[in-house]
Amino acid sequence: MLPELKITPLRYVLAVVDQGGFHAAARQVHRTQPALSMAIRELESRLGEALFERGNQATLTPFGEYCVPRFRELITQHDRLSRELVAQVAREAGHLDMAAVPSVASRLMPRLLADFVAHYPGIRVSLHDGNADYVREQVLAGEVDLGLTSLWEGDAALGFTPLMRDALGVVCRDDHPFAGRQSVHWKELMQESLIGNGTSRLLQGTDAAALLEHHTFYISNMISLTAMLVAGLGVTTLPKLAFPEEYERLRFIPLSEPRVEREIGLLQLAGRSLSPGARAMAEFVRQALEE
C-alpha cells in the first residue's frame, strides 16, 4: 500500500536541508522545533526509512538524499498547480471556447472581446463562427463552452438566456425602388425576385410565411448572398445585425408588416456549471448587451 504523503512535512524536510538544521528550519516555517521534528518522524514512519542520520540530524541518509530532489519537484508542481487553480478561480488565467453566428461574430464580438481581454488579460478565448445550427451542435457536443446565437427551437439539453432582439428588414441595392423607403410591407415582396437565406425561417409562423415559397434563389453563404444583392439580382430579408453595412450600394429597410425579430442570447449546456473563465465571459456579455 502506498504511503500517503502530505505536503507540509515535505516542506519541513527541505527547510532543514536548506537552513542547515532543525532549529533554524523551525524558525523559518514558524513552528516549534519539537513540532517540526515530530512531523518529520511521522513522515519517516510512513516511508519506512529515516531521512536524517540520527547522530547528526542535519545530515541526510542515502535514502534522504534520494528523496530530497523528488520532494522539491513534487512541491514545485504542487505550488504551480495551486497558483494556476487560484488564478482560474480569480479569473486571471484560463481558456474558453465560444461559437457565434457570423453576424454576432463580426458585429459584436470585436468590441466585446477587446473589452473582455482588457478586463481579463490572462484568459485566452477561441472564437468559432457558423450558422445557428452549427453553434447549437458545437454547444451540445461540448466543443465550446458558450454559444452566442439565436435559438430556433427549444431543447431540454440546452439553456438559453435571451439578451437582445434583432429586427428583420429588407436588403436591396441602392437603385431599387425600396431603397428610399422608410419601411416595406411583406406583400410587396411577392412582386420581387426574392433571394432566400438561412435567416428566412424567421418568417415561419408569421403572416409573411408565404414568402418562403416565393424564393427565386436560395443562398446560404453570406459572401455569395451579398454578391447577388450587389449585382442587383434580387432582394432578401435579413436581421439588422446581419446587414452587410460595409457595402455602400446596399440598403436596409425595416419590414413594417409583420414585425419580425430574432432573439440573440447565450447558449450553454443545461445543468452543467461553466468554468470560471466561461462564467466571466457570460457575465461580461450579459452586462454588455443588456446595457
Side-chain angles (χ1 to χ4, degrees):
M1 183 176 180
L2 293 175
E4 180 183 351
L5 298 181
K6 297 181 180 180
I7 291 295
T8 299
L10 305 188
R11 294 189 192 277
Y12 293 168
V13 171
L14 297 185
V16 172
V17 172
D18 295 341
Q19 297 299 314
F22 278 65
H23 289 290
R27 286 195 299 271
Q28 185 197 40
V29 299
H30 307 292
R31 295 295 304 275
T32 64
Q33 190 270 328
L36 181 138
S37 298
M38 182 178 296
I40 291 178
R41 284 198 298 271
E42 288 179 355
L43 173 62
E44 291 174 327
S45 176
R46 286 179 179 274
L47 293 172
E49 283 284 344
L51 295 168
F52 294 97
E53 297 289 357
R54 295 307 178 202
N56 185 344
Q57 291 188 337
T59 301
L60 290 167
T61 64
F63 179 68
E65 290 177 352
Y66 173 84
C67 289
V68 162
R70 290 161 177 80
F71 288 174
R72 289 194 192 279
E73 180 181 0
L74 177 59
I75 289 175
T76 298
Q77 293 177 350
H78 171 275
D79 291 350
R80 182 175 63 248
L81 176 60
S82 296
R83 288 193 297 270
E84 290 174 354
L85 293 177
V86 169
Q88 282 266 350
V89 174
R91 300 171 179 180
E92 295 172 355
H95 176 263
L96 71 100
D97 285 282
M98 288 188 69
V101 290
S103 56
V104 171
S106 61
R107 302 297 180 196
L108 300 182
M109 291 311 296
R111 175 180 60 83
L112 287 174
L113 287 179
D115 291 345
F116 181 80
V117 170
H119 281 80
Y120 304 101
I123 298 179
R124 296 178 294 113
V125 182
S126 295
L127 177 64
H128 313 269
D129 73 310
N131 63 27
D133 292 330
Y134 167 84
V135 175
R136 178 178 176 276
E137 290 167 3
Q138 289 289 292
V139 174
L140 278 173
E143 296 294 328
V144 299
D145 303 286
L146 287 171
L148 198 49
T149 181
S150 52
L151 188 63
W152 298 105
E153 56 186 29
D155 190 322
L158 294 170
F160 181 69
T161 305
L163 296 176
M164 62 180 293
R165 304 186 76 85
D166 192 19
L168 199 70
V170 177
V171 179
C172 63
R173 203 164 71 169
D174 59 355
D175 57 357
H176 191 280
F178 290 162
R181 299 270 296 276
Q182 296 298 311
S183 64
V184 175
H185 193 284
W186 76 268
K187 290 183 178 179
E188 297 178 83
L189 298 178
M190 295 295 288
Q191 311 304 318
E192 300 293 326
S193 176
L194 189 61
I195 306 173
N197 61 77
T199 66
S200 297
R201 52 182 164 175
L202 286 166
L203 299 171
Q204 291 175 351
T206 74
D207 293 342
L211 293 174
L212 296 172
E213 306 298 326
H214 184 63
H215 295 150
T216 304
F217 309 102
Y218 183 90
I219 309 294
S220 60
N221 181 273
M222 192 62 190
I223 295 176
S224 300
L225 174 63
T226 302
M228 296 277 283
L229 294 168
V230 171
L233 296 181
V235 302
T236 194
T237 56
L238 281 174
K240 176 65 173 178
L241 203 59
F243 171 57
E245 57 189 18
E246 65 273 18
Y247 287 85
E248 296 182 357
R249 294 221 60 186
L250 297 183
R251 299 290 182 271
F252 180 89
I253 306 95
L255 188 65
S256 61
E257 292 293 338
R259 179 172 176 78
V260 179
E261 297 177 321
R262 65 170 176 172
E263 278 190 323
I264 292 176
L266 284 169
L267 194 65
Q268 67 183 84
L269 285 174
R272 182 173 177 180
S273 299
L274 295 172
S275 68
R279 192 163 62 249
M281 174 62 81
E283 293 171 0
F284 192 86
V285 170
R286 275 196 293 266
Q287 183 176 359
L289 296 188
E290 289 176 348
E291 288 180 349

